[in-house]
Amino acid sequence: MSQSSWLPISPSSHFSLANIPFGIISTSSGPTHRPAVAIGDHALDLRAFATADGFSANPSIQNHAGVFSSTTLNAFASLGRPFHREVRAYLQSIFAADTPHPSILKDNTSLRQSALLPLSEVTNHLPLSIGDYTDFYAGKHHAYNVGVLFRGPANALQPNYTHLPVAYHGRASSVVVSGTPIHRPWGQILPDPKAEPKIPALSRCKRLDIELELGMFVARENELGKPIPVDQAEDYIFGYVLLNDWSARDIQAWEYVPLGPFTAKNLGTSISPWVVLADALEGCKTAGIENETELLPYLKEKTRENLLSIDLEVDIITPKGNKTTFTKTNSRNLLWSWPQMIAHHTITGCNLRTGDLLGSGTISGAEPGSEGSMLEQTQGGKGTIKLEGGEERKFIEDGDTLVIRGRAGEEGALIGFGEVSGTIQAALPLF
Amino acid sequence: MSQSSWLPISPSSHFSLANIPFGIISTSSGPTHRPAVAIGDHALDLRAFATADGFSANPSIQNHAGVFSSTTLNAFASLGRPFHREVRAYLQSIFAADTPHPSILKDNTSLRQSALLPLSEVTNHLPLSIGDYTDFYAGKHHAYNVGVLFRGPANALQPNYTHLPVAYHGRASSVVVSGTPIHRPWGQILPDPKAEPKIPALSRCKRLDIELELGMFVARENELGKPIPVDQAEDYIFGYVLLNDWSARDIQAWEYVPLGPFTAKNLGTSISPWVVLADALEGCKTAGIENETELLPYLKEKTRENLLSIDLEVDIITPKGNKTTFTKTNSRNLLWSWPQMIAHHTITGCNLRTGDLLGSGTISGAEPGSEGSMLEQTQGGKGTIKLEGGEERKFIEDGDTLVIRGRAGEEGALIGFGEVSGTIQAALPLF
Ligand SMILES: [Ca+2]
Ligand SMILES: [Ca+2]
Ligand SMILES: [Mg+2]
Ligand SMILES: [Mg+2]
Ligand code: NI
């Protein structure tokens, strides 16, 4: 779709009329958190819009307009995909150049002034209250690359890897919105990993890294004990964000056997603020990494076009101001789809709830320059990443800002995520 | 303390005047969830008590009495340990035989009738809304026993085990209160674990097990990025429950490498309904399993008496009605204390929140008959557990009810947990 809007929207905007992503905002004059959509370089304050009868031309939305006075998107998400679809289509019709309802916003100067806010004047917050966060490991190139570094090529991919979407439960409390600074963590590391016996030290993390991931928010709950069939799993998806799973590699290497990563990952996980609805990305499906393993029936999908195709890139901005895009890849580089992850997550009966966040796992391409972590790109710190201005990095240094961007679609009708950004600050003095 | 009460309390009651545990109840005539304390075979409805000015003799409690109209204990917990201590002491004074305030409850027939409810007439609910659930692995005998079964004696305990309290993030959504039935899960297992290549099947779990644990609820939050010093960690503890971490061993063995248990554990975790306040257990501290490893300073405590001493036992009740106590142990069988777990959990900056639940890890003694899981007691299913009536078990069978009980203190002044019970129902047909 490349429909035009009466609102000027740059063709390069991530937030075209084809997108309509949802978030939670506040402003300096209105500190209460409230829902909004992003369009061009504006946010439409949905609380203000709903309160001024903006949804009056659609009674079925109007009946539920109370969800737009909530401080999170959970109530909206829980109403389900047909409702999300209807709201998105309605808002597209409101912003369309040939809107059938010009009196609602286009010709309503007062509501435009009160509800249509420059993005530069809004503060974003976590879009949903997150009950549980699960991080998958569906990026096969990443899993292989990291497996080689942690366990050698022979054991890089475990025997279960192609049979089930490997995952671990993550930490919901430390999921933060883009822009939140993260302090370099302290933690237990092995100063000399090869020495025997192994004697750890408490140290500032020396191998702090990013993980380029997509995040998915759950719309609906299932009952405890009742797995979600893979063919129904799409109904449980609210939408997607970019996700940076900050990872302390030296802490992770020491702690993760046998129960998985813990303090290496719970220091913070950053997400982009605007949730791109599942419906907005319906046209962006493609085939992912081929899985030659015969799957068990509960993981078999009817289509091979089961993955989102979103172009992704990562910038690093150093304290000297040098900005370098050091990774470009695409979200098709996954072995497992979101419906497969949902089906597996619930196969033993686990109940998902509205607002749960699932991470895809790190997305790396097969070629150099497409790796979703610095660990991979520097082969465990043996190499370096060459940056603009003659700088280089093995891992993140204090003051570095990492930015992930993602977009699908064509100029003029981009379905973009904006970005998730975070600056690593020096470690705080301990106690 | 063995103070007596005007309310008849059996000397064998877990809920003596020395205890005063907090929970969330409803009744058939009053379905709204509300706080209560257990005393003898009664629950004191704190909403009814507070509404009738039951706290009027203590202005500092009265000022916050609104927390007793909440549907969870989170608001109460977040007020901190000095407040919990004050409320507990006040309620003890109200129930004391020589209460200084007889008009409030003892001589107030109408309030006794409306607020003092037989436990048999109340329904318990989850005591707190749980943001995140973390399961530790501090039971050294258990970790060793299971390590032998999963990886052999040489690799049973990993090199990190005595240096840090190993843990993984668990699943908060599937934590349920005692009495909630659990369906035997379906999941991926290896029908022949030794065959190569490894070909999994989707199957009903064949090795369903319990894990006998203590759970701890967090009272206060810390700021993201700010670790909690081990010497301040007690201030963050609200109280304790019994916890059964239902575990699908065949699913776990196949899925857990390299990121830890996932679907084998997220099928459900059961907890006892009454939270025993940290203050009630202050007198029940003892030394735990000695750790000969020199600890890093952030894990060093001033006292060796850092563990709770709670006698624990597990019953199985078969569908034929045979009841057997097959495990007796004590919560001192841990290598790490709760303050050490908190200090480690937050060392990289992870923020705890009010209502977070931490599990201790399975508590097993060193002797036969003290193991906290059937896996250990049957050495991975090679042996059997002999039950009353000539029955036997390797793992849980359909219709079995598992009951964990725990208590500290002496008859007449018991500080007990009551029990956490759950019945395993047959697997549901899949889709
Ligand atoms: Ca990750
Ligand atoms: Ca456990
Ligand atoms: Mg993370
Ligand atoms: Mg569990
Ligand atoms: Ni009575």
PDB file of all heavy atoms in Angstrom, chain A residues 131-132 160 163 169 171-173 188 254 257 263 266 348 351 356, chain B residues 131-132 160 163 169 171-173 188 254 257 263 266 348 351 356:
ATOM      1  N   GLY A 131       4.640  -9.644  31.714  1.00  0.00           N
ATOM      2  CA  GLY A 131       4.533 -10.649  32.767  1.00  0.00           C
ATOM      3  C   GLY A 131       5.730 -11.579  32.773  1.00  0.00           C
ATOM      4  O   GLY A 131       6.395 -11.746  33.791  1.00  0.00           O
ATOM      5  N   ASP A 132       6.012 -12.182  31.650  1.00  0.00           N
ATOM      6  CA  ASP A 132       7.169 -13.064  31.509  1.00  0.00           C
ATOM      7  C   ASP A 132       7.871 -12.739  30.206  1.00  0.00           C
ATOM      8  O   ASP A 132       7.245 -12.371  29.213  1.00  0.00           O
ATOM      9  CB  ASP A 132       6.729 -14.552  31.473  1.00  0.00           C
ATOM     10  CG  ASP A 132       6.489 -15.151  32.840  1.00  0.00           C
ATOM     11  OD1 ASP A 132       7.465 -15.380  33.567  1.00  0.00           O
ATOM     12  OD2 ASP A 132       5.311 -15.388  33.192  1.00  0.00           O
ATOM     13  N   ASN A 160      19.590 -31.381  19.875  1.00  0.00           N
ATOM     14  CA  ASN A 160      18.191 -30.949  19.928  1.00  0.00           C
ATOM     15  C   ASN A 160      17.916 -29.736  19.024  1.00  0.00           C
ATOM     16  O   ASN A 160      16.747 -29.413  18.761  1.00  0.00           O
ATOM     17  CB  ASN A 160      17.771 -30.643  21.373  1.00  0.00           C
ATOM     18  CG  ASN A 160      18.640 -29.580  22.042  1.00  0.00           C
ATOM     19  OD1 ASN A 160      19.303 -28.783  21.366  1.00  0.00           O
ATOM     20  ND2 ASN A 160      18.659 -29.567  23.372  1.00  0.00           N
ATOM     21  N   HIS A 163      15.488 -29.908  16.189  1.00  0.00           N
ATOM     22  CA  HIS A 163      14.229 -30.589  16.519  1.00  0.00           C
ATOM     23  C   HIS A 163      13.250 -29.703  17.281  1.00  0.00           C
ATOM     24  O   HIS A 163      12.047 -29.958  17.271  1.00  0.00           O
ATOM     25  CB  HIS A 163      14.503 -31.845  17.353  1.00  0.00           C
ATOM     26  CG  HIS A 163      15.149 -32.953  16.581  1.00  0.00           C
ATOM     27  ND1 HIS A 163      14.442 -33.787  15.752  1.00  0.00           N
ATOM     28  CD2 HIS A 163      16.440 -33.345  16.506  1.00  0.00           C
ATOM     29  CE1 HIS A 163      15.267 -34.669  15.202  1.00  0.00           C
ATOM     30  NE2 HIS A 163      16.485 -34.421  15.636  1.00  0.00           N
ATOM     31  N   HIS A 169      13.994 -19.003  29.882  1.00  0.00           N
ATOM     32  CA  HIS A 169      13.222 -17.924  30.487  1.00  0.00           C
ATOM     33  C   HIS A 169      14.155 -16.770  30.810  1.00  0.00           C
ATOM     34  O   HIS A 169      15.224 -16.974  31.377  1.00  0.00           O
ATOM     35  CB  HIS A 169      12.527 -18.416  31.760  1.00  0.00           C
ATOM     36  CG  HIS A 169      11.545 -19.515  31.519  1.00  0.00           C
ATOM     37  ND1 HIS A 169      11.655 -20.761  32.072  1.00  0.00           N
ATOM     38  CD2 HIS A 169      10.435 -19.558  30.751  1.00  0.00           C
ATOM     39  CE1 HIS A 169      10.645 -21.510  31.670  1.00  0.00           C
ATOM     40  NE2 HIS A 169       9.892 -20.819  30.863  1.00  0.00           N
ATOM     41  N   ARG A 171      14.503 -12.396  32.022  1.00  0.00           N
ATOM     42  CA  ARG A 171      14.137 -11.574  33.168  1.00  0.00           C
ATOM     43  C   ARG A 171      13.243 -10.427  32.711  1.00  0.00           C
ATOM     44  O   ARG A 171      13.684  -9.534  31.979  1.00  0.00           O
ATOM     45  CB  ARG A 171      15.397 -11.025  33.828  1.00  0.00           C
ATOM     46  CG  ARG A 171      15.146 -10.143  35.026  1.00  0.00           C
ATOM     47  CD  ARG A 171      14.787 -10.933  36.271  1.00  0.00           C
ATOM     48  NE  ARG A 171      14.251 -10.059  37.310  1.00  0.00           N
ATOM     49  CZ  ARG A 171      13.789 -10.488  38.493  1.00  0.00           C
ATOM     50  NH1 ARG A 171      13.802 -11.778  38.793  1.00  0.00           N
ATOM     51  NH2 ARG A 171      13.305  -9.652  39.355  1.00  0.00           N
ATOM     52  N   ALA A 172      11.990 -10.431  33.153  1.00  0.00           N
ATOM     53  CA  ALA A 172      11.036  -9.414  32.698  1.00  0.00           C
ATOM     54  C   ALA A 172      11.289  -8.056  33.348  1.00  0.00           C
ATOM     55  O   ALA A 172      11.088  -7.015  32.723  1.00  0.00           O
ATOM     56  CB  ALA A 172       9.604  -9.874  32.987  1.00  0.00           C
ATOM     57  N   SER A 173      11.744  -8.051  34.611  1.00  0.00           N
ATOM     58  CA  SER A 173      11.830  -6.767  35.333  1.00  0.00           C
ATOM     59  C   SER A 173      12.826  -5.813  34.698  1.00  0.00           C
ATOM     60  O   SER A 173      12.690  -4.607  34.821  1.00  0.00           O
ATOM     61  CB  SER A 173      12.212  -6.985  36.804  1.00  0.00           C
ATOM     62  OG  SER A 173      13.563  -7.384  36.934  1.00  0.00           O
ATOM     63  N   GLN A 188      30.876 -12.139  38.187  1.00  0.00           N
ATOM     64  CA  GLN A 188      31.935 -13.149  38.327  1.00  0.00           C
ATOM     65  C   GLN A 188      32.462 -13.529  36.953  1.00  0.00           C
ATOM     66  O   GLN A 188      31.700 -13.951  36.078  1.00  0.00           O
ATOM     67  CB  GLN A 188      31.396 -14.409  39.014  1.00  0.00           C
ATOM     68  CG  GLN A 188      31.388 -14.326  40.516  1.00  0.00           C
ATOM     69  CD  GLN A 188      31.408 -15.698  41.184  1.00  0.00           C
ATOM     70  OE1 GLN A 188      31.911 -16.672  40.624  1.00  0.00           O
ATOM     71  NE2 GLN A 188      30.869 -15.761  42.401  1.00  0.00           N
ATOM     72  N   TRP A 254      31.234 -18.316  32.267  1.00  0.00           N
ATOM     73  CA  TRP A 254      31.530 -18.946  33.557  1.00  0.00           C
ATOM     74  C   TRP A 254      30.284 -19.499  34.232  1.00  0.00           C
ATOM     75  O   TRP A 254      30.304 -20.555  34.844  1.00  0.00           O
ATOM     76  CB  TRP A 254      32.257 -17.926  34.449  1.00  0.00           C
ATOM     77  CG  TRP A 254      32.418 -18.224  35.908  1.00  0.00           C
ATOM     78  CD1 TRP A 254      32.051 -17.410  36.945  1.00  0.00           C
ATOM     79  CD2 TRP A 254      33.033 -19.376  36.519  1.00  0.00           C
ATOM     80  NE1 TRP A 254      32.381 -17.980  38.143  1.00  0.00           N
ATOM     81  CE2 TRP A 254      32.984 -19.196  37.917  1.00  0.00           C
ATOM     82  CE3 TRP A 254      33.600 -20.547  36.010  1.00  0.00           C
ATOM     83  CZ2 TRP A 254      33.477 -20.131  38.827  1.00  0.00           C
ATOM     84  CZ3 TRP A 254      34.094 -21.492  36.920  1.00  0.00           C
ATOM     85  CH2 TRP A 254      34.025 -21.268  38.305  1.00  0.00           C
ATOM     86  N   VAL A 257      26.759 -23.058  32.660  1.00  0.00           N
ATOM     87  CA  VAL A 257      26.614 -24.502  32.771  1.00  0.00           C
ATOM     88  C   VAL A 257      26.236 -24.868  34.206  1.00  0.00           C
ATOM     89  O   VAL A 257      26.897 -24.389  35.137  1.00  0.00           O
ATOM     90  CB  VAL A 257      27.931 -25.211  32.374  1.00  0.00           C
ATOM     91  CG1 VAL A 257      27.783 -26.719  32.538  1.00  0.00           C
ATOM     92  CG2 VAL A 257      28.320 -24.868  30.945  1.00  0.00           C
ATOM     93  N   THR A 263      22.901 -14.128  35.409  1.00  0.00           N
ATOM     94  CA  THR A 263      23.272 -12.722  35.656  1.00  0.00           C
ATOM     95  C   THR A 263      23.876 -12.072  34.415  1.00  0.00           C
ATOM     96  O   THR A 263      23.903 -10.845  34.314  1.00  0.00           O
ATOM     97  CB  THR A 263      24.259 -12.589  36.833  1.00  0.00           C
ATOM     98  OG1 THR A 263      25.477 -13.275  36.515  1.00  0.00           O
ATOM     99  CG2 THR A 263      23.673 -13.170  38.105  1.00  0.00           C
ATOM    100  N   ASN A 266      20.490 -10.725  32.844  1.00  0.00           N
ATOM    101  CA  ASN A 266      19.415 -10.011  33.546  1.00  0.00           C
ATOM    102  C   ASN A 266      19.763  -8.562  33.871  1.00  0.00           C
ATOM    103  O   ASN A 266      19.018  -7.876  34.564  1.00  0.00           O
ATOM    104  CB  ASN A 266      18.943 -10.793  34.785  1.00  0.00           C
ATOM    105  CG  ASN A 266      19.976 -10.877  35.894  1.00  0.00           C
ATOM    106  OD1 ASN A 266      20.935 -10.114  35.910  1.00  0.00           O
ATOM    107  ND2 ASN A 266      19.780 -11.804  36.823  1.00  0.00           N
ATOM    108  N   THR A 348       4.065 -28.192  26.831  1.00  0.00           N
ATOM    109  CA  THR A 348       3.866 -28.859  28.117  1.00  0.00           C
ATOM    110  C   THR A 348       2.752 -28.205  28.940  1.00  0.00           C
ATOM    111  O   THR A 348       2.537 -28.583  30.090  1.00  0.00           O
ATOM    112  CB  THR A 348       5.163 -28.876  28.951  1.00  0.00           C
ATOM    113  OG1 THR A 348       5.641 -27.538  29.105  1.00  0.00           O
ATOM    114  CG2 THR A 348       6.242 -29.728  28.297  1.00  0.00           C
ATOM    115  N   ASN A 351       1.145 -21.495  30.257  1.00  0.00           N
ATOM    116  CA  ASN A 351       0.195 -20.451  29.882  1.00  0.00           C
ATOM    117  C   ASN A 351       0.912 -19.158  29.532  1.00  0.00           C
ATOM    118  O   ASN A 351       1.691 -18.638  30.319  1.00  0.00           O
ATOM    119  CB  ASN A 351      -0.826 -20.215  30.994  1.00  0.00           C
ATOM    120  CG  ASN A 351      -0.189 -19.913  32.347  1.00  0.00           C
ATOM    121  OD1 ASN A 351       0.885 -20.431  32.657  1.00  0.00           O
ATOM    122  ND2 ASN A 351      -0.832 -19.090  33.151  1.00  0.00           N
ATOM    123  N   ASP A 356       3.228 -10.812  27.564  1.00  0.00           N
ATOM    124  CA  ASP A 356       4.468 -11.584  27.578  1.00  0.00           C
ATOM    125  C   ASP A 356       5.311 -11.201  26.362  1.00  0.00           C
ATOM    126  O   ASP A 356       4.782 -10.938  25.271  1.00  0.00           O
ATOM    127  CB  ASP A 356       4.174 -13.088  27.532  1.00  0.00           C
ATOM    128  CG  ASP A 356       3.635 -13.615  28.855  1.00  0.00           C
ATOM    129  OD1 ASP A 356       3.718 -12.897  29.875  1.00  0.00           O
ATOM    130  OD2 ASP A 356       3.120 -14.744  28.862  1.00  0.00           O
TER     131      ASP A 356
ATOM    132  N   GLY B 131       5.959 -11.061  39.686  1.00  0.00           N
ATOM    133  CA  GLY B 131       6.524 -10.441  38.484  1.00  0.00           C
ATOM    134  C   GLY B 131       7.493 -11.374  37.792  1.00  0.00           C
ATOM    135  O   GLY B 131       7.368 -11.683  36.615  1.00  0.00           O
ATOM    136  N   ASP B 132       8.487 -11.841  38.522  1.00  0.00           N
ATOM    137  CA  ASP B 132       9.469 -12.773  37.988  1.00  0.00           C
ATOM    138  C   ASP B 132       9.686 -13.878  39.002  1.00  0.00           C
ATOM    139  O   ASP B 132       9.619 -13.658  40.211  1.00  0.00           O
ATOM    140  CB  ASP B 132      10.818 -12.072  37.735  1.00  0.00           C
ATOM    141  CG  ASP B 132      10.880 -11.314  36.427  1.00  0.00           C
ATOM    142  OD1 ASP B 132      10.957 -11.973  35.376  1.00  0.00           O
ATOM    143  OD2 ASP B 132      10.850 -10.070  36.460  1.00  0.00           O
ATOM    144  N   ASN B 160      31.789 -24.012  38.663  1.00  0.00           N
ATOM    145  CA  ASN B 160      31.235 -22.773  39.232  1.00  0.00           C
ATOM    146  C   ASN B 160      30.391 -23.029  40.484  1.00  0.00           C
ATOM    147  O   ASN B 160      30.072 -22.087  41.215  1.00  0.00           O
ATOM    148  CB  ASN B 160      30.409 -22.016  38.176  1.00  0.00           C
ATOM    149  CG  ASN B 160      29.270 -22.853  37.595  1.00  0.00           C
ATOM    150  OD1 ASN B 160      28.819 -23.828  38.210  1.00  0.00           O
ATOM    151  ND2 ASN B 160      28.805 -22.487  36.408  1.00  0.00           N
ATOM    152  N   HIS B 163      31.288 -21.556  43.792  1.00  0.00           N
ATOM    153  CA  HIS B 163      31.688 -20.140  43.740  1.00  0.00           C
ATOM    154  C   HIS B 163      30.501 -19.191  43.650  1.00  0.00           C
ATOM    155  O   HIS B 163      30.625 -18.018  43.998  1.00  0.00           O
ATOM    156  CB  HIS B 163      32.600 -19.893  42.536  1.00  0.00           C
ATOM    157  CG  HIS B 163      33.959 -20.492  42.666  1.00  0.00           C
ATOM    158  ND1 HIS B 163      34.961 -19.918  43.413  1.00  0.00           N
ATOM    159  CD2 HIS B 163      34.482 -21.639  42.167  1.00  0.00           C
ATOM    160  CE1 HIS B 163      36.057 -20.665  43.347  1.00  0.00           C
ATOM    161  NE2 HIS B 163      35.795 -21.728  42.605  1.00  0.00           N
ATOM    162  N   HIS B 169      16.237 -18.383  35.326  1.00  0.00           N
ATOM    163  CA  HIS B 169      14.953 -17.708  35.375  1.00  0.00           C
ATOM    164  C   HIS B 169      13.851 -18.731  35.112  1.00  0.00           C
ATOM    165  O   HIS B 169      13.945 -19.515  34.177  1.00  0.00           O
ATOM    166  CB  HIS B 169      14.903 -16.588  34.333  1.00  0.00           C
ATOM    167  CG  HIS B 169      15.929 -15.511  34.568  1.00  0.00           C
ATOM    168  ND1 HIS B 169      16.900 -15.208  33.666  1.00  0.00           N
ATOM    169  CD2 HIS B 169      16.126 -14.705  35.624  1.00  0.00           C
ATOM    170  CE1 HIS B 169      17.656 -14.230  34.154  1.00  0.00           C
ATOM    171  NE2 HIS B 169      17.215 -13.899  35.346  1.00  0.00           N
ATOM    172  N   ARG B 171       9.372 -19.600  35.204  1.00  0.00           N
ATOM    173  CA  ARG B 171       8.178 -19.088  34.549  1.00  0.00           C
ATOM    174  C   ARG B 171       7.173 -18.626  35.593  1.00  0.00           C
ATOM    175  O   ARG B 171       6.621 -19.447  36.351  1.00  0.00           O
ATOM    176  CB  ARG B 171       7.563 -20.181  33.682  1.00  0.00           C
ATOM    177  CG  ARG B 171       6.297 -19.781  32.960  1.00  0.00           C
ATOM    178  CD  ARG B 171       6.567 -18.912  31.744  1.00  0.00           C
ATOM    179  NE  ARG B 171       5.343 -18.285  31.242  1.00  0.00           N
ATOM    180  CZ  ARG B 171       5.316 -17.425  30.228  1.00  0.00           C
ATOM    181  NH1 ARG B 171       6.421 -17.066  29.607  1.00  0.00           N
ATOM    182  NH2 ARG B 171       4.180 -16.892  29.844  1.00  0.00           N
ATOM    183  N   ALA B 172       6.907 -17.335  35.648  1.00  0.00           N
ATOM    184  CA  ALA B 172       6.020 -16.789  36.674  1.00  0.00           C
ATOM    185  C   ALA B 172       4.552 -17.112  36.402  1.00  0.00           C
ATOM    186  O   ALA B 172       3.781 -17.333  37.337  1.00  0.00           O
ATOM    187  CB  ALA B 172       6.212 -15.274  36.779  1.00  0.00           C
ATOM    188  N   SER B 173       4.150 -17.159  35.140  1.00  0.00           N
ATOM    189  CA  SER B 173       2.718 -17.292  34.834  1.00  0.00           C
ATOM    190  C   SER B 173       2.145 -18.610  35.328  1.00  0.00           C
ATOM    191  O   SER B 173       0.963 -18.702  35.624  1.00  0.00           O
ATOM    192  CB  SER B 173       2.467 -17.176  33.323  1.00  0.00           C
ATOM    193  OG  SER B 173       2.922 -18.318  32.621  1.00  0.00           O
ATOM    194  N   GLN B 188       8.591 -33.098  24.098  1.00  0.00           N
ATOM    195  CA  GLN B 188       9.594 -33.847  23.320  1.00  0.00           C
ATOM    196  C   GLN B 188      10.473 -34.652  24.254  1.00  0.00           C
ATOM    197  O   GLN B 188      11.083 -34.102  25.171  1.00  0.00           O
ATOM    198  CB  GLN B 188      10.477 -32.895  22.510  1.00  0.00           C
ATOM    199  CG  GLN B 188       9.874 -32.465  21.209  1.00  0.00           C
ATOM    200  CD  GLN B 188      10.921 -32.009  20.186  1.00  0.00           C
ATOM    201  OE1 GLN B 188      12.068 -32.459  20.197  1.00  0.00           O
ATOM    202  NE2 GLN B 188      10.495 -31.115  19.305  1.00  0.00           N
ATOM    203  N   TRP B 254      16.450 -33.911  27.438  1.00  0.00           N
ATOM    204  CA  TRP B 254      16.622 -33.683  26.000  1.00  0.00           C
ATOM    205  C   TRP B 254      16.780 -32.200  25.671  1.00  0.00           C
ATOM    206  O   TRP B 254      17.562 -31.818  24.812  1.00  0.00           O
ATOM    207  CB  TRP B 254      15.431 -34.301  25.263  1.00  0.00           C
ATOM    208  CG  TRP B 254      15.216 -33.963  23.822  1.00  0.00           C
ATOM    209  CD1 TRP B 254      14.073 -33.477  23.270  1.00  0.00           C
ATOM    210  CD2 TRP B 254      16.140 -34.125  22.715  1.00  0.00           C
ATOM    211  NE1 TRP B 254      14.224 -33.320  21.916  1.00  0.00           N
ATOM    212  CE2 TRP B 254      15.492 -33.708  21.552  1.00  0.00           C
ATOM    213  CE3 TRP B 254      17.460 -34.567  22.627  1.00  0.00           C
ATOM    214  CZ2 TRP B 254      16.087 -33.713  20.295  1.00  0.00           C
ATOM    215  CZ3 TRP B 254      18.069 -34.571  21.372  1.00  0.00           C
ATOM    216  CH2 TRP B 254      17.380 -34.152  20.220  1.00  0.00           C
ATOM    217  N   VAL B 257      20.296 -28.643  27.230  1.00  0.00           N
ATOM    218  CA  VAL B 257      21.590 -28.182  26.756  1.00  0.00           C
ATOM    219  C   VAL B 257      21.390 -27.329  25.501  1.00  0.00           C
ATOM    220  O   VAL B 257      20.698 -27.769  24.583  1.00  0.00           O
ATOM    221  CB  VAL B 257      22.508 -29.379  26.430  1.00  0.00           C
ATOM    222  CG1 VAL B 257      23.858 -28.886  25.896  1.00  0.00           C
ATOM    223  CG2 VAL B 257      22.717 -30.251  27.663  1.00  0.00           C
ATOM    224  N   THR B 263      10.643 -26.073  28.764  1.00  0.00           N
ATOM    225  CA  THR B 263       9.286 -26.631  28.834  1.00  0.00           C
ATOM    226  C   THR B 263       9.167 -27.709  29.909  1.00  0.00           C
ATOM    227  O   THR B 263       8.060 -28.004  30.357  1.00  0.00           O
ATOM    228  CB  THR B 263       8.837 -27.231  27.476  1.00  0.00           C
ATOM    229  OG1 THR B 263       9.697 -28.329  27.140  1.00  0.00           O
ATOM    230  CG2 THR B 263       8.892 -26.199  26.373  1.00  0.00           C
ATOM    231  N   ASN B 266       8.112 -25.290  32.880  1.00  0.00           N
ATOM    232  CA  ASN B 266       7.104 -24.227  32.843  1.00  0.00           C
ATOM    233  C   ASN B 266       5.669 -24.754  32.848  1.00  0.00           C
ATOM    234  O   ASN B 266       4.719 -24.002  32.688  1.00  0.00           O
ATOM    235  CB  ASN B 266       7.353 -23.254  31.680  1.00  0.00           C
ATOM    236  CG  ASN B 266       7.162 -23.863  30.303  1.00  0.00           C
ATOM    237  OD1 ASN B 266       6.520 -24.907  30.174  1.00  0.00           O
ATOM    238  ND2 ASN B 266       7.691 -23.230  29.285  1.00  0.00           N
ATOM    239  N   THR B 348      24.891  -8.129  38.783  1.00  0.00           N
ATOM    240  CA  THR B 348      25.063  -7.419  37.504  1.00  0.00           C
ATOM    241  C   THR B 348      24.061  -6.274  37.345  1.00  0.00           C
ATOM    242  O   THR B 348      23.993  -5.665  36.276  1.00  0.00           O
ATOM    243  CB  THR B 348      24.919  -8.381  36.304  1.00  0.00           C
ATOM    244  OG1 THR B 348      23.671  -9.064  36.401  1.00  0.00           O
ATOM    245  CG2 THR B 348      26.056  -9.402  36.275  1.00  0.00           C
ATOM    246  N   ASN B 351      17.177  -5.776  38.696  1.00  0.00           N
ATOM    247  CA  ASN B 351      16.245  -5.213  39.676  1.00  0.00           C
ATOM    248  C   ASN B 351      15.233  -6.257  40.127  1.00  0.00           C
ATOM    249  O   ASN B 351      14.562  -6.874  39.304  1.00  0.00           O
ATOM    250  CB  ASN B 351      15.535  -3.985  39.111  1.00  0.00           C
ATOM    251  CG  ASN B 351      14.845  -4.242  37.772  1.00  0.00           C
ATOM    252  OD1 ASN B 351      15.324  -5.035  36.967  1.00  0.00           O
ATOM    253  ND2 ASN B 351      13.722  -3.599  37.553  1.00  0.00           N
ATOM    254  N   ASP B 356       8.332 -10.704  43.537  1.00  0.00           N
ATOM    255  CA  ASP B 356       9.176 -11.697  42.863  1.00  0.00           C
ATOM    256  C   ASP B 356       9.323 -12.917  43.763  1.00  0.00           C
ATOM    257  O   ASP B 356       9.411 -12.807  44.993  1.00  0.00           O
ATOM    258  CB  ASP B 356      10.566 -11.119  42.568  1.00  0.00           C
ATOM    259  CG  ASP B 356      10.551 -10.129  41.413  1.00  0.00           C
ATOM    260  OD1 ASP B 356       9.537 -10.062  40.696  1.00  0.00           O
ATOM    261  OD2 ASP B 356      11.557  -9.413  41.251  1.00  0.00           O
TER     262      ASP B 356
END
